[in-house]
Amino acid sequence: MRAIQITEFGGPDVLRLADVPAPEAKAGELLIDVSRAGVNYADTHNAENTYLAPASLPLIPGNEVVGRAADGRRMVAQVTTGGYAEQAVAPEFTAFEVPDELDDTTALAIVVQGLTAWLLLRTSAHLEQGESVVVHAAAGGVGTLAVQLAKSFGAGRVIATASSQAKRDLALELGADVAIDPASEDLTAAIIEANEGRRVDVVLEMTGGPVTDASLVALAPLGRLVFYGMASRVPPKPVAMPNLLSHSTTVSGLWLPHAYARPGLVPRAMQELFSLAREGKLRAIAGGDYPLSEARRAHEDIRSRRTTGKLVLDPKT
């Protein structure tokens, strides 16, 4: 079958189209004929072997697929590896039947990025009615969905950050109350000003470096910052525990695979996300439908911040 295979770690240039043996499903697994494979920013780390879970070679990257199972059901699933291919194998507990009303891009947006946004707000930040929320990278895959979910969950004020005016306009269209440039000379002051002079209650952060540092300082007492990625590849400053105590702030992290260890959590989240999407209250932004053979270009585009929303690969082209 056709797949993208990595035989050496590195940047987008290591993604190459190859003919490889088709996978076989074992007990407790589903074999899926892939109609679309999702692309996530984490895939760029995986290609470099700089992700949280170490990778081994040869590697078929990709952690999410949508398509048909052998029994004809249309399924969307998270896979450990192997998503960038014509067929993939998924654990049954990470696979969910897709409602007929939802297209492939929406299903893929929900299974990783939507689920991440839901967990950030519901289980990590414990968002309360009326609280202010900062969503960094608000035009990205998680960000576009987090803006909408924060509003649906009762946030009082949603502050988006994005690197271009077009991206900030998209965040406003999706429901953000204000959108600012994360490259502002004083990002802490810009966040507080965007919240009408008040410090903020919740920050969803996946950039790292100075953005994390500035966001932490902008937290109100009892505020929470949830760290779920480091797109800049620059680590933030170490957090001093006494500072958390003196300001009554919380810093937490989220890595999606851990959610599956809590019985019932992911199915509950997926059910709510599917319902919101069916009702038109959650909209996936289609960020690009690339031929499988152009996976390298997809990685180049997402790394250069040229994209918005959800990127997908078509394994038939």
Side-chain angles (χ1 to χ4, degrees), residues 5-304:
Q5 188 177 59
I6 294 172
T7 56
E8 59 180 322
F9 293 119
D13 58 300
V14 303
L15 277 66
R16 298 185 179 96
L17 191 64
D19 187 17
V20 301
E24 295 182 3
K26 303 181 182 69
E29 295 180 333
L30 286 178
L31 178 64
I32 297 175
D33 286 322
V34 180
S35 56
R36 289 293 187 279
V39 178
N40 291 299
Y41 199 91
D43 297 347
T44 69
H45 285 285
N46 210 9
E48 296 175 331
N49 200 22
T50 58
Y51 196 49
L52 291 173
S56 58
L57 298 174
L59 170 69
I60 298 174
N63 297 114
E64 59 187 30
V65 297
V66 63
R68 295 283 177 182
D71 60 8
R73 289 179 299 160
R74 183 164 165 255
M75 308 294 289
V76 65
Q78 289 191 45
V79 297
T80 306
T81 59
Y84 292 9
E86 291 183 299
Q87 290 186 308
V89 168
E92 289 182 348
F93 69 89
T94 70
F96 303 90
E97 192 161 358
V98 181
D100 292 339
E101 304 95 320
L102 304 187
D103 61 23
D104 283 354
T105 297
T106 299
L108 286 169
I110 285 174
V111 76
V112 168
Q113 294 164 329
L115 180 57
T116 297
W118 190 98
L119 291 165
L120 289 169
L121 293 164
R122 288 286 202 212
T123 67
S124 298
H126 300 285
L127 179 66
E128 298 282 351
Q129 193 81 17
E131 288 189 315
S132 55
V133 180
V134 176
V135 180
H136 287 300
V142 174
T144 52
L145 299 170
V147 166
Q148 297 173 74
L149 289 176
K151 277 298 184 182
S152 292
F153 296 166
R157 190 165 177 82
V158 175
I159 301 159
T161 77
S163 59
S164 71
Q165 188 59 55
K167 290 182 177 183
R168 293 191 285 275
D169 289 344
L170 173 61
L172 294 171
E173 179 191 337
L174 293 173
D177 295 285
V178 62
I180 62 176
D181 188 344
S184 300
E185 184 175 349
D186 186 340
L187 180 57
T188 298
I191 290 172
I192 293 172
E193 180 182 357
N195 198 36
E196 301 178 320
R198 301 183 299 273
R199 294 180 181 272
V200 295
D201 299 304
V202 171
V203 176
L204 309 184
E205 161 53 359
M206 53 77 68
T207 307
V211 173
T212 307
D213 302 333
S215 300
L216 184 57
V217 179
L219 284 177
L222 303 180
R224 290 88 71 200
L225 183 148
V226 190
F227 190 72
Y228 68 101
M230 197 164 62
S232 70
R233 289 169 165 79
V234 177
K237 295 176 182 176
V239 176
M241 294 300 108
N243 289 344
L244 298 182
L245 178 63
S246 62
H247 296 284
S248 295
T249 51
T250 298
V251 176
S252 63
L254 175 70
W255 189 34
L256 185 55
H258 291 142
Y260 283 94
R262 183 175 295 183
L265 177 61
V266 172
R268 177 164 64 93
M270 291 296 293
Q271 181 179 15
E272 182 174 4
L273 290 164
F274 281 152
S275 294
L276 288 169
R278 284 199 307 266
E279 294 165 7
K281 297 177 181 177
L282 184 65
R283 177 165 65 98
I285 303 301
D289 193 337
Y290 297 74
L292 182 67
S293 58
E294 296 186 21
R296 171 178 175 172
R297 180 166 64 88
H299 276 224
E300 290 171 343
D301 288 349
I302 199 171
R303 287 188 60 155
S304 65

